[in-house]
Amino acid sequence: MSQIVRPTFLNLPEDKQARIIEAALTEFADKGYPQASLNTIVARSGIAKGSLYQYFTDKTGIFLYIFDFAISVVRRLLVQVKESTQEEDFFTRLEKSLLAGVAFIKEHPKIYGIYLKILFDQQAPQRQELLQAVRRFAADYFHSLLRQGRARGELRQDLPLTTTTFVLDALLDRFLQAASVPAFDVSLGLDQAGEEELLRRVQELMDIIRHGLAAGKKYEP
Amino acid sequence: MSQIVRPTFLNLPEDKQARIIEAALTEFADKGYPQASLNTIVARSGIAKGSLYQYFTDKTGIFLYIFDFAISVVRRLLVQVKESTQEEDFFTRLEKSLLAGVAFIKEHPKIYGIYLKILFDQQAPQRQELLQAVRRFAADYFHSLLRQGRARGELRQDLPLTTTTFVLDALLDRFLQAASVPAFDVSLGLDQAGEEELLRRVQELMDIIRHGLAAGKKYEP
Amino acid sequence: MSQIVRPTFLNLPEDKQARIIEAALTEFADKGYPQASLNTIVARSGIAKGSLYQYFTDKTGIFLYIFDFAISVVRRLLVQVKESTQEEDFFTRLEKSLLAGVAFIKEHPKIYGIYLKILFDQQAPQRQELLQAVRRFAADYFHSLLRQGRARGELRQDLPLTTTTFVLDALLDRFLQAASVPAFDVSLGLDQAGEEELLRRVQELMDIIRHGLAAGKKYEP
Amino acid sequence: MSQIVRPTFLNLPEDKQARIIEAALTEFADKGYPQASLNTIVARSGIAKGSLYQYFTDKTGIFLYIFDFAISVVRRLLVQVKESTQEEDFFTRLEKSLLAGVAFIKEHPKIYGIYLKILFDQQAPQRQELLQAVRRFAADYFHSLLRQGRARGELRQDLPLTTTTFVLDALLDRFLQAASVPAFDVSLGLDQAGEEELLRRVQELMDIIRHGLAAGKKYEP
DNA sequence: AATGAATGAGAATTCATTCAT
DNA sequence: GATGAATGAATTCTCATTCAT
C-alpha cells in the first residue's frame, strides 16, 4: 500500500487529486494498462511529468491505486443494494441487483471499462489478485443471496450452492456486458433497443432463472 | 487474402510455416495485439526480421492471418461435434458440446487465449468484425440446438429463443473460461480439482439448465 | 560502360528491355535516385528481383544506364532542330529552339523529370559528370548558334561569347522549367494560361533578348 | 508554430540550439529532406535520439523549422540591400544585389543548399508553399526595382514587367548557382577563377542586361 | 538465365523513468 | 515539492543485395 501511493499525493488539494484520478481512470479504461501512456495522463491532468513520480512509485503504482479506487466505488454500490433490499424475496432481490448493475455501468462506464480491460491483459500488474478480489466479491454477494433465499424456502433445497453461484455470476455478468459493450451482444440486440426492450429481456432472463432455481413442482423427466 | 498473407509464406516448407504460426500464436495469445512484438516472433521462429515482411504485409496482416487460422480450427471442432451428436436429445447434445469445449481448450490453450485477448483489445484490427463472427457462430450453434430440441418436445414451448440462446452462450462460455483461466474461477475451484470434480460440476450445471429449460411440470409460484 | 549494363540485358527481347527501361525511367523521374525503389521497378516491369541483378551491377548501374538513355533521346532532338533551322537567322533559330524545347518536355515529361531530379541530388552517382555533360551539351549548342549569328552580322560584334552563352542557357532553361513545373513559375503564370498566353510570353522574352544581343543602334547612356 | 517547434527547444541554452540547428541544416542541405537522417543529426549535435522529439514534433517539424530559419536569414539580407541602395540608379542597384548575393552564398552555403534541395524534392513537406514563398519574395524584389527604374526613366517604357521580372530572376538566380555550384557552371568557369574574373563576368552580364532593358536608342531591325 | 526467399542494417517514432534545478 | 529536460531501449517497417535452386 505505502509502496503504491505516496503521502505527497494524499496531501494534495482534493480537486487536484480528483483531476489526476479522473485522467488516469480515463486513460486506463480507454487503453488498458500496457497501452496507457503517462504522457497522456500528465497532459490531461495538467501536472508535470516529474510530479507524477512524486505521487506514485511508477506506472504500476498509479494503476493499482486507480483500480483500488474503482473497486471501492463498486463496493459501496453493492453494499447499498444489498441493504436496501433486505426484506424482499430472492428473485426480486436478484432482479433489482441486475437493474442496479445496468444503471451503474451506464453511469460509470470508465470503472466498468477498466475492469473489462484488466480482465484479459496478461501484463496488468497483479492482475490475478485484482480479478480474484472482484469476482470473489460478486460471488460472496450471490452466495449470501442464495443462502437467505434457500433458508426462506424460496429455492429448491437440493440446489448446489457453489454451482448456482457460478450460474448467477455468469448470467448477470454477461448480461451487463451485453448491455454495455455492443460487440458482445450478438443475440440480445440490446444496444439498438430502448429501455422497454431491455426490461423485457430482464423479465425473460429472470423467468428462466426462476424455472431453474425456484422451489415448486420439480422437473420430472 | 492476398492483402494479408503473401504467396511467399504459403510456398514455405510446412515446418517453417508451422514454426512461424506457432511463434506468432504464442505471442499474440500472451500479450494481445498491441503488446505483441514482432521482434519476439522472429526471434522465436528463428527467421530474420525482414523475412516476416516477405510473408505478411504488416503486423496487422500477421495478426489477421493467425486469427483466421485459429477460427478455422474452432470451426472444424464445432461442426464435428454437431454432426456426431445429431441423433441425441437436446440435453445430451449440450453436455457433450460442453465437454468437447473443455477438452479443446485444454488441448489448444493458445487458440482460446487469442480469442480472450481480442475480446478486450480496443486496438486489435477489425476487432468488431472478428468478434461478431465468433459470437454469432456460437449463437447460431445454440440456436439450432434449441430449435431442434423444442421441435422434439424436449423443451418448454414458451421458451424465448433469443434469451435462451444468450443463457446457453453465457453459461458455457463462462464455464470454459473457469475451466481454463484460474483467475476467473472463483466459485467452482476447477483448476485445483481433478477430472472427477469437473464432471460433477458439469452435472450440476446441466441439472440447473434442465430445470430452467425442459418441458415437464411447470414452475408454479 | 561494361560495368554498368551486362550483356544479359542487351540480349533480352526488345519489348522486355523497353518495359524495364520504362519502369525505371518512371521511378527515377518520380522519386529521384535515392528514393527510387528497385522493388517498384521490378513490380512494374514484371520481372524477378534477382533478374535485375543479372542485367545490371547494382542500383547505380541501372540509374546510369537509364540516364544515358535519356540523354541520347535529348541529343537526337537537338541535332535535328539544329540541322532543320540551318538557314534561318539567329533569333528565329533561338525561338524555334525554345518552342521545340517546350514541345519536347510536354511529350517526354519523364526525361525532363529525371534531369530535374538529378540536378540537386547530392547522392546521385556521378552527378557532377552527368550534369556537366548535359549542360555542356546545351552550352555547345548555344555557342554554335551565337558564333554563326555573329558571323552573319545579326549580333553585336562586341558580345562576349561566354557570358552570352550563359545568358541564353539560363533564360531558356528557366523558361522551360516555368512552363513545365508550376512551382517554379511565380511570375509568368504559364500553367494556368493557354497556348496563346505562352506564345505571347515567348515573344516578350525574345524581344528582350533581341534588345540585349542584336546588332543595330547601340545603347548610349 | 507550436505545431512545429516545442517550447522545450526555445528554452534551451543558445549554444545548444545553435549546435542542433547547425547539424540539421547541414544534414538537410547535404541530403535533402527524405534522405536526411535524424540519427546523423543527433549524432552530430551530441544529443540523445529521444531529445530531438522533445524539441520538435517529428522530422517534418524539424525540417520546417530549419527552413523557416533559413528564409528569415535571407529575408534580412534582401531587406538590407534594398534599403541601403535606395538612392542609386536601377542598374547599380541590380549589380549590387547580385554581388551581395554572391557574397551571401559564399558565406552561407548551407542555406543556399537547403533551398536548392527543396527545389526538387517531391517529398519535402509543404514544398509548394515554401518554394512559392521564396520565389515570390525574389519576384517582388525585382518587380519593385523595375517599377522604380521605369518611373525614373532609366528603363524602356514599353518593357513588359512580368516577363522582365522573370528574366532578372532567371539570370541572377542562375548566376548565383554558377558561382556556388561548380556542376552548374559550364560556360563561366567561375569556380576556378579568382575574384577578378568573377567581377568581369558580372560586368559582362550587366552590360547585356543594360542593352536589353535600358532606355535610349532603340533597336531597329 | 531466371527466380524469389533470406538477410540485416537502418529508418522514424514512443515511452517510462531519472535527475538537476 | 514541483518541474521538465534528458535518456536510450524498444517499437514497426523498408530496402538493396546475395545466393541456392
Side-chain angles (χ1 to χ4, degrees):
Chain A
M1 274 296 188
S2 63
Q3 291 197 342
I4 289 178
V5 62
R6 297 205 167 129
T8 324
F9 179 72
L10 302 172
N11 291 338
L12 247 38
E14 278 202 17
D15 63 320
K16 198 168 183 179
Q17 283 188 38
R19 254 187 305 132
I20 297 172
I21 290 178
E22 171 68 16
L25 191 54
T26 303
E27 181 67 2
F28 282 121
D30 277 3
K31 314 230 192 96
Y33 174 78
Q35 286 292 301
S37 159
L38 300 192
N39 283 338
T40 307
I41 294 177
V42 298
R44 274 211 271 249
S45 52
I47 63 170
K49 182 124 56 133
S51 300
L52 210 53
Y53 283 84
Q54 306 268 24
Y55 306 148
F56 304 96
T57 56
D58 54 9
K59 191 181 182 183
T60 294
I62 304 170
F63 174 73
L64 292 179
Y65 181 79
I66 293 298
F67 197 82
D68 228 58
F69 169 84
I71 293 289
S72 74
V73 175
V74 175
R75 183 170 293 132
R76 257 198 304 277
L77 170 82
L78 280 195
V79 167
Q80 180 200 319
V81 171
K82 194 169 176 180
E83 286 175 353
S84 72
T85 59
Q86 205 77 274
E87 301 309 317
E88 329 225 18
D89 79 298
F90 173 81
F91 295 103
T92 308
R93 295 188 82 181
L94 196 62
E95 185 178 335
K96 287 195 171 169
S97 300
L98 179 53
L99 291 173
V102 171
F104 179 82
I105 288 179
K106 287 248 157 80
E107 202 182 350
H108 302 93
K110 286 172 197 163
I111 289 183
Y112 191 63
I114 208 174
Y115 161 69
L116 288 184
K117 279 293 167 2
I118 203 188
L119 209 52
F120 294 106
D121 263 339
Q122 219 99 60
Q123 326 270 338
Q126 302 188 33
R127 171 173 167 270
Q128 189 91 347
E129 293 80 351
L130 294 179
L131 281 186
Q132 294 259 3
V134 174
R135 299 305 269 265
R136 202 176 308 275
F137 197 68
D140 286 351
Y141 180 75
F142 291 126
H143 207 260
S144 105
L145 253 59
L146 283 169
R147 262 199 319 267
Q148 193 192 35
R150 196 165 64 174
R152 288 179 178 174
E154 296 158 6
L155 304 177
R156 289 194 277 127
Q157 295 302 317
D158 62 339
L159 267 185
L161 276 198
T162 299
T163 302
T164 311
T165 297
F166 164 81
V167 166
L168 293 183
D169 189 28
L171 290 178
L172 270 63
D173 194 36
R174 209 32 194 281
F175 193 87
L176 293 183
Q177 288 182 21
S180 65
V181 186
F184 294 163
D185 179 21
V186 173
S187 34
L188 296 178
L190 293 182
D191 64 320
Q192 22 199 2
E195 187 73 7
E196 204 179 334
E197 172 82 0
L198 179 74
L199 291 181
R200 190 147 54 83
R201 293 299 179 199
V202 169
Q203 292 313 321
E204 292 178 354
L205 176 60
M206 289 305 302
D207 188 60
I208 293 176
I209 294 177
R210 210 181 310 262
H211 275 90
L213 310 185
K217 309 220 169 148
K218 296 274 250 16
Y219 160 75
E220 291 170 5
Chain B
M1 270 296 190
S2 62
Q3 293 281 36
I4 288 178
V5 62
R6 299 217 165 115
T8 315
F9 180 71
L10 303 173
N11 293 341
L12 247 39
E14 278 204 17
D15 62 320
K16 196 167 187 179
Q17 282 189 40
R19 251 189 306 132
I20 296 171
I21 290 179
E22 171 68 16
L25 195 51
T26 303
E27 180 69 1
F28 283 121
D30 277 4
K31 313 229 192 100
Y33 176 78
Q35 283 296 299
S37 158
L38 302 190
N39 283 342
T40 306
I41 294 177
V42 298
R44 272 211 273 250
S45 49
I47 62 172
K49 207 182 293 196
S51 297
L52 207 53
Y53 283 87
Q54 303 266 36
Y55 306 149
F56 304 95
T57 56
D58 53 10
K59 191 181 180 182
T60 293
I62 304 170
F63 174 73
L64 292 179
Y65 180 78
I66 294 297
F67 196 82
D68 231 58
F69 170 83
I71 292 289
S72 74
V73 176
V74 175
R75 183 169 291 133
R76 257 197 305 276
L77 170 82
L78 279 195
V79 167
Q80 181 200 318
V81 172
K82 195 170 175 180
E83 287 174 353
S84 72
T85 60
Q86 205 78 274
E87 302 309 317
E88 329 226 19
D89 78 298
F90 173 81
F91 295 103
T92 309
R93 296 189 81 180
L94 197 61
E95 186 179 333
K96 287 195 170 169
S97 299
L98 179 53
L99 290 172
V102 171
F104 179 82
I105 286 179
K106 286 249 155 81
E107 200 182 352
H108 302 95
K110 285 171 197 162
I111 288 183
Y112 192 62
I114 207 174
Y115 160 69
L116 290 184
K117 276 296 164 0
I118 205 187
L119 212 52
F120 292 104
D121 265 345
Q122 216 94 54
Q123 330 258 353
Q126 301 188 34
R127 174 174 167 268
Q128 190 87 350
E129 292 80 352
L130 295 178
L131 277 188
Q132 296 257 359
V134 175
R135 300 301 272 264
R136 207 178 302 277
F137 197 67
D140 285 350
Y141 180 72
F142 291 126
H143 208 259
S144 103
L145 253 59
L146 283 169
R147 262 199 319 266
Q148 193 191 36
R150 197 165 63 172
R152 288 178 176 173
E154 297 159 6
L155 304 178
R156 289 193 278 127
Q157 296 301 318
D158 62 338
L159 267 185
L161 275 197
T162 299
T163 302
T164 310
T165 297
F166 164 81
V167 166
L168 293 182
D169 189 28
L171 290 178
L172 269 64
D173 194 35
R174 201 47 182 277
F175 193 88
L176 293 182
Q177 289 182 21
S180 66
V181 186
F184 293 162
D185 179 21
V186 173
S187 33
L188 296 177
L190 293 180
D191 63 321
Q192 22 201 359
E195 187 73 7
E196 201 180 336
E197 171 82 359
L198 177 75
L199 291 181
R200 189 147 54 83
R201 294 299 179 200
V202 169
Q203 291 314 321
E204 291 177 354
L205 177 59
M206 289 305 301
D207 189 61
I208 293 176
I209 294 177
R210 208 181 313 262
H211 274 88
L213 310 186
K217 307 218 169 152
K218 296 276 239 34
Y219 160 75
E220 291 171 7
Chain C
M1 273 297 187
S2 63
Q3 290 196 343
I4 289 179
V5 62
R6 300 209 164 122
T8 324
F9 179 71
L10 302 172
N11 293 338
L12 247 38
E14 277 202 19
D15 64 320
K16 197 168 184 179
Q17 284 188 38
R19 253 189 304 132
I20 296 173
I21 290 178
E22 170 68 16
L25 191 53
T26 303
E27 180 69 1
F28 283 121
D30 277 3
K31 313 230 191 97
Y33 175 77
Q35 287 292 300
S37 160
L38 300 192
N39 283 337
T40 307
I41 294 176
V42 298
R44 275 210 271 249
S45 52
I47 63 170
K49 183 125 56 136
S51 300
L52 210 53
Y53 282 84
Q54 307 267 24
Y55 306 147
F56 304 95
T57 56
D58 54 9
K59 191 181 181 181
T60 293
I62 304 169
F63 174 72
L64 292 179
Y65 181 79
I66 294 298
F67 197 83
D68 228 58
F69 169 84
I71 293 288
S72 74
V73 175
V74 175
R75 183 170 293 133
R76 258 197 304 278
L77 170 82
L78 280 195
V79 167
Q80 181 200 319
V81 171
K82 195 170 175 180
E83 287 174 353
S84 72
T85 59
Q86 205 76 273
E87 302 310 316
E88 330 226 17
D89 78 299
F90 173 81
F91 294 104
T92 308
R93 295 188 82 182
L94 196 62
E95 185 178 334
K96 285 196 172 171
S97 300
L98 179 53
L99 291 173
V102 171
F104 179 82
I105 288 179
K106 286 247 157 79
E107 201 182 349
H108 301 94
K110 286 172 196 164
I111 289 183
Y112 191 62
I114 207 173
Y115 161 68
L116 289 185
K117 279 292 168 1
I118 203 187
L119 210 51
F120 294 106
D121 262 340
Q122 218 99 61
Q123 326 272 336
Q126 304 187 34
R127 171 174 168 270
Q128 189 90 348
E129 293 79 352
L130 295 179
L131 281 187
Q132 295 258 3
V134 174
R135 300 304 269 265
R136 202 176 308 275
F137 195 68
D140 286 351
Y141 180 74
F142 291 126
H143 208 259
S144 104
L145 253 60
L146 282 170
R147 262 197 321 268
Q148 194 192 33
R150 196 164 65 174
R152 289 179 177 173
E154 296 159 5
L155 303 178
R156 290 193 277 127
Q157 296 302 318
D158 62 339
L159 265 186
L161 275 198
T162 300
T163 301
T164 309
T165 297
F166 164 81
V167 165
L168 293 183
D169 189 27
L171 290 178
L172 269 63
D173 194 34
R174 212 25 198 283
F175 193 89
L176 293 183
Q177 288 182 22
S180 66
V181 185
F184 293 163
D185 179 21
V186 173
S187 33
L188 297 178
L190 294 181
D191 64 320
Q192 23 200 3
E195 187 73 6
E196 202 180 336
E197 172 82 1
L198 179 74
L199 291 181
R200 190 148 53 85
R201 294 298 180 200
V202 169
Q203 292 314 320
E204 291 177 354
L205 177 60
M206 289 305 301
D207 188 61
I208 293 176
I209 293 177
R210 209 182 312 261
H211 275 87
L213 310 185
K217 308 223 168 145
K218 297 275 252 12
Y219 160 75
E220 292 171 5
Chain D
M1 272 295 190
S2 61
Q3 293 281 37
I4 290 178
V5 62
R6 299 218 166 116
T8 314
F9 180 71
L10 303 173
N11 293 340
L12 247 39
E14 279 202 18
D15 62 320
K16 196 167 188 179
Q17 281 189 40
R19 250 189 306 134
I20 296 171
I21 290 179
E22 171 67 17
L25 195 51
T26 302
E27 180 69 0
F28 282 120
D30 277 4
K31 312 229 192 100
Y33 176 78
Q35 283 296 300
S37 159
L38 302 191
N39 282 344
T40 306
I41 294 177
V42 298
R44 272 211 272 250
S45 49
I47 62 172
K49 207 183 293 197
S51 297
L52 208 53
Y53 284 85
Q54 302 268 33
Y55 305 149
F56 304 94
T57 55
D58 53 11
K59 190 181 182 182
T60 293
I62 303 171
F63 174 73
L64 292 180
Y65 181 79
I66 293 297
F67 197 83
D68 231 58
F69 169 84
I71 292 290
S72 74
V73 175
V74 175
R75 183 169 292 134
R76 256 198 305 276
L77 170 82
L78 279 195
V79 167
Q80 181 201 317
V81 171
K82 194 171 176 180
E83 286 175 354
S84 72
T85 59
Q86 204 78 275
E87 300 310 316
E88 330 226 19
D89 78 298
F90 174 80
F91 295 103
T92 308
R93 296 190 80 181
L94 196 62
E95 185 179 333
K96 287 196 170 170
S97 299
L98 179 52
L99 291 172
V102 171
F104 179 82
I105 286 180
K106 286 249 155 80
E107 199 182 352
H108 302 94
K110 285 170 197 163
I111 289 184
Y112 192 63
I114 207 174
Y115 160 69
L116 290 183
K117 275 295 165 1
I118 204 189
L119 212 51
F120 292 102
D121 265 346
Q122 216 94 54
Q123 329 259 355
Q126 302 188 33
R127 174 173 166 270
Q128 189 89 348
E129 293 80 351
L130 294 179
L131 277 188
Q132 295 258 358
V134 174
R135 300 304 271 265
R136 207 178 302 277
F137 198 67
D140 284 352
Y141 179 73
F142 292 125
H143 208 258
S144 104
L145 253 59
L146 283 170
R147 262 198 320 267
Q148 194 192 33
R150 198 166 62 172
R152 289 178 177 174
E154 297 158 7
L155 305 178
R156 288 194 279 127
Q157 295 302 317
D158 63 338
L159 268 185
L161 276 197
T162 299
T163 302
T164 311
T165 297
F166 164 80
V167 166
L168 293 182
D169 190 27
L171 290 179
L172 270 64
D173 194 35
R174 201 48 182 277
F175 193 88
L176 293 183
Q177 288 182 22
S180 66
V181 186
F184 293 161
D185 180 20
V186 172
S187 33
L188 297 178
L190 293 182
D191 63 322
Q192 21 201 0
E195 188 73 7
E196 202 180 336
E197 171 83 359
L198 178 74
L199 290 182
R200 190 148 53 83
R201 294 298 179 202
V202 170
Q203 290 314 320
E204 292 176 354
L205 176 60
M206 289 305 301
D207 189 60
I208 294 176
I209 294 177
R210 209 182 312 262
H211 275 87
L213 310 186
K217 306 215 171 154
K218 296 274 237 41
Y219 160 77
E220 292 171 6

